[in-house]
Amino acid sequence: MSPPALPWRTLRADLSASVVVFLVALPLCVGIAVASGVPAELGLVTGIVGGLVVGFMPGSSMQVSGPAAGLTVLVAEAVDRYGLAGLGTIVLVAGLLQIGLGLLRLGRWFRAITVSVVQGMLAGIGLLLIAGQLYVLAGVAAPHTGPGKFTGLPGLVGEVATSTPARVSLAVGAATIAVMVFWDSLPGRLRTVPGALVAVVAAAGVTAALGLPVDTIEVEGLLAAMQPSLGHWGTLVDVGVLATIATFTLVASAESLFSAAAVDRLHQGPRTDFDRELVAQGTGNALCGLLGALPMTAVIVRSSANVRAGARTKASRVLHGLWLLLFAAAAPGLIGLMPLPALAAVLVHAGVKLLPLRALPELWREHRGEAAVLAVTALAILTTDMFTGVLVGLGLAVVKTAWETSHVRVTVRDAAVGGSAVGGSAVGGSAAGGSAVVRDAAVGGASVGDVPARDAGPGPIEVAITGNATFLRLPTILTTLNDLPADRTVRLDLRGLRHVDHACRTALDTWIETHNRNAGVSVHVVAPRPAEDDRPRTVDATD
């Protein structure tokens, strides 16, 4: 039985939305390809595959796939090291890995990556993208390394100051950015045509009309630009290639699935199946690798434009791929009219949108640890590379979470005459009345003060440990226990512990044995029974 025909209104809405997405995707596909150091047509190939192949596949119904600004820096580095043939193999294997992760139903686990790491990753990419494209704006060759792009900026200023062609090129790029910013401020109906396309077309028209000395794109033709290959498998013995593949897989998957989660909040249609979406993205990347094209991700800019334009089904993203194919086949010469500084301006504009300019101040006020993870991730990417930077961010996020969750509280109550040392500071008692003292050695060993007890009197020192006892808080626990009098009986209450790791359990056992041997008095441990009986029980550690 054939599927029911879509209503005309739905088809009309999808057709209209597909044109809008095509107009948004066109300058981005070309600009990202040029910035990545590959022929412009390869960006269109990736956009076509994202529409005609990934667009048909299950997963997300509204998001649109294609070459992403977030992978530009990574792709440029891969092309510089391994060439176009090496890039094809990297993209092919990364796509196969994505398919495998999706089939193993691991797509949902990408949502476990902390947002601060993703934002830091995008911020680092955005800063590198902006810094690199500033050179293209002025028609100057950009340094290859990330740090070099920033240290070379003073020289770029000098080049612009002394070179007339550089100033003309920069003026074209700056005017393109100004048009896009102005276009974004217009009412919604006037912004049906994307500002990036308007700005690039205007720049091309002015450049051609005035005969400005500005570089334009070199066009090879769609078939000439592609270098289909089944992969150069011998390169997989290179550790650098394997690291690049892992980075492509991680970054492309995370960006696609986070984009899917964001797009799901923009519409009321079916929710994304993350595992199927990962298979779809992997299929697209595997095919792009075979064709020698750029890698793809789901892109929030194109996806949000698709939703805002009123798309109803996945037909809109499929049709946008068809329009890209028709444009590349019928009017490739128009690509050659696009000025390079205008396309660089589009990418600078896109790079700024990758920066968490609005989220960072609020994050700093409410979650400074997350803000630190974001900043360290971005800085690590700027100073090393994408793979190392993401690993540093993930490692710091894990350490931060472990530190925050290993909250432990040590409370000591001494009802004897005299004093005891707790947490490295003396805890005094009343010589006459034997007043009890409660000292709270909280997170990091900080104390909350001395609280007189109500029923003072001689007896054992009572120590209660609550929270999560991990090796990160072991100094706090041992400092408090070691400061207890060696000749006193201790009642150690562990009923408030939710978790005890091996290091803390071993340290507690050692302290109990040492105290019993040196003092000749018992440490009474009050611990919960196993899960089947939650009643507390008292255990004499000397038995």
Side-chain angles (χ1 to χ4, degrees):
M1 178 182 295
S2 60
L6 293 174
W8 166 245
R9 291 184 179 179
T10 300
L11 285 175
R12 184 172 60 184
D14 286 334
L15 180 62
S16 175
S18 71
V19 174
V20 173
V21 177
F22 159 70
L23 296 176
V24 171
L26 179 60
L28 286 174
C29 288
V30 175
I32 291 170
V34 173
S36 300
V38 304
E41 293 87 347
L42 294 184
L44 293 175
V45 172
T46 301
I48 293 167
V49 173
L52 296 182
V53 178
V54 179
F56 268 117
M57 299 185 69
S60 174
S61 59
M62 290 291 119
Q63 72 174 356
V64 183
S65 300
L71 291 176
T72 301
V73 176
L74 191 61
V75 173
E77 292 177 354
V79 172
D80 186 56
R81 290 182 182 181
Y82 310 113
L84 273 178
L87 175 66
T89 302
I90 290 170
V91 176
L92 169 60
V93 177
L96 295 176
L97 286 177
Q98 286 182 300
I99 294 174
L101 292 174
L103 293 177
L104 292 174
R105 304 187 64 81
L106 297 178
R108 67 196 72 183
W109 290 101
F110 276 88
R111 290 180 289 180
I113 300 177
T114 175
V115 175
S116 58
V117 172
V118 176
Q119 289 180 326
M121 177 187 72
L122 295 178
I125 292 170
L127 290 172
L128 285 174
L129 186 61
I130 293 169
Q133 294 306 303
L134 289 176
Y135 295 88
V136 184
L137 284 177
V140 178
H144 292 293
T145 64
K149 291 180 173 63
F150 292 93
T151 58
L153 290 178
L156 176 63
V157 174
E159 181 76 17
V160 172
T162 58
S163 172
T164 299
R167 289 196 296 270
V168 172
S169 181
L170 183 62
V172 172
T176 305
I177 294 176
V179 171
M180 286 188 289
V181 173
F182 169 75
W183 201 264
D184 289 342
S185 65
L186 295 177
R189 291 185 177 181
L190 294 178
R191 287 189 284 113
T192 302
V193 179
L197 183 67
V198 172
V200 170
V201 171
V206 171
T207 299
L210 300 180
L212 299 178
V214 174
D215 294 333
T216 56
I217 298 175
E218 296 181 5
V219 179
E220 299 181 15
L222 196 61
L223 295 179
M226 288 191 297
Q227 299 180 15
S229 171
L230 292 177
H232 296 73
W233 304 108
T235 60
L236 296 181
V237 299
D238 189 329
V239 176
V241 172
L242 295 177
T244 303
I245 290 171
T247 307
F248 269 74
T249 305
L250 174 64
V251 175
S253 301
E255 187 170 347
S256 295
L257 298 183
F258 272 95
S259 172
V263 173
D264 280 348
R265 293 194 291 267
L266 299 178
H267 67 90
Q268 303 300 319
R271 306 292 93 179
T272 299
D273 184 317
F274 284 83
D275 297 316
R276 290 185 174 184
E277 180 62 20
L278 196 54
V279 172
Q281 295 295 326
T283 303
N285 273 318
L287 183 55
C288 287
L290 290 174
L291 296 175
L294 291 175
M296 73 168 59
T297 72
V299 188
I300 188 63
V301 174
R302 275 162 262 187
S303 303
S304 58
N306 188 40
V307 175
R308 287 197 304 266
R312 304 285 183 85
T313 69
K314 61 178 63 177
S316 61
R317 61 186 191 178
V318 175
L319 288 172
H320 117 276
L322 177 61
W323 307 144
L324 286 174
L325 176 60
L326 293 177
F327 175 85
L334 294 179
I335 300 176
L337 299 177
M338 296 182 180
L340 283 178
L343 292 176
V346 172
L347 293 178
V348 168
H349 190 257
V352 171
K353 290 185 176 181
L354 293 176
L355 305 180
L357 299 177
R358 295 182 179 179
L360 188 56
E362 182 179 356
L363 196 63
W364 177 254
R365 288 192 301 268
E366 299 182 2
H367 306 283
R368 293 196 174 183
E370 294 293 327
V373 171
L374 187 157
V376 169
T377 303
L379 183 61
I381 289 174
L382 295 179
T383 55
T384 57
D385 54 62
M386 186 81 64
F387 185 69
T388 303
V390 171
L391 288 183
V392 168
L394 289 174
L396 182 59
V398 171
V399 171
K400 181 190 77 69
T401 301
W403 180 259
E404 291 177 346
T405 56
S406 63
H407 182 98
V408 70
R409 190 178 297 274
V410 183
T411 306
V412 178
R413 173 174 173 160
D414 186 1
V417 177
S420 64
V422 179
S425 60
V427 180
S430 171
S435 64
V437 173
V438 177
R439 165 123 354 207
D440 190 355
V443 175
S447 62
V448 297
D450 298 341
V451 182
R454 185 170 295 176
D455 299 324
I461 298 175
E462 297 183 3
V463 181
I465 305 178
T466 59
N468 296 307
T470 68
F471 71 96
L472 294 173
R473 302 300 185 182
L474 197 51
T476 298
I477 299 172
L478 290 180
T479 298
T480 304
L481 294 177
N482 289 332
D483 285 341
L484 297 176
D487 58 349
R488 296 282 304 281
T489 299
V490 177
R491 185 175 183 270
L492 186 59
D493 189 348
L494 304 180
R495 289 175 295 180
L497 283 177
R498 294 186 295 272
H499 171 73
V500 183
D501 69 5
H502 178 71
C504 280
R505 186 178 299 277
T506 302
L508 286 174
D509 290 341
T510 302
W511 178 83
I512 291 170
E513 292 175 1
T514 302
H515 183 88
N516 291 340
R517 182 174 59 252
N518 295 339
V521 293
S522 301
V523 174
H524 297 282
V525 180
V526 182
R529 286 185 180 273
E532 65 271 10
D533 186 358
D534 291 334
R535 292 175 299 174
R537 60 190 177 96
T538 302
V539 179
D540 192 335
T542 61
D543 292 341

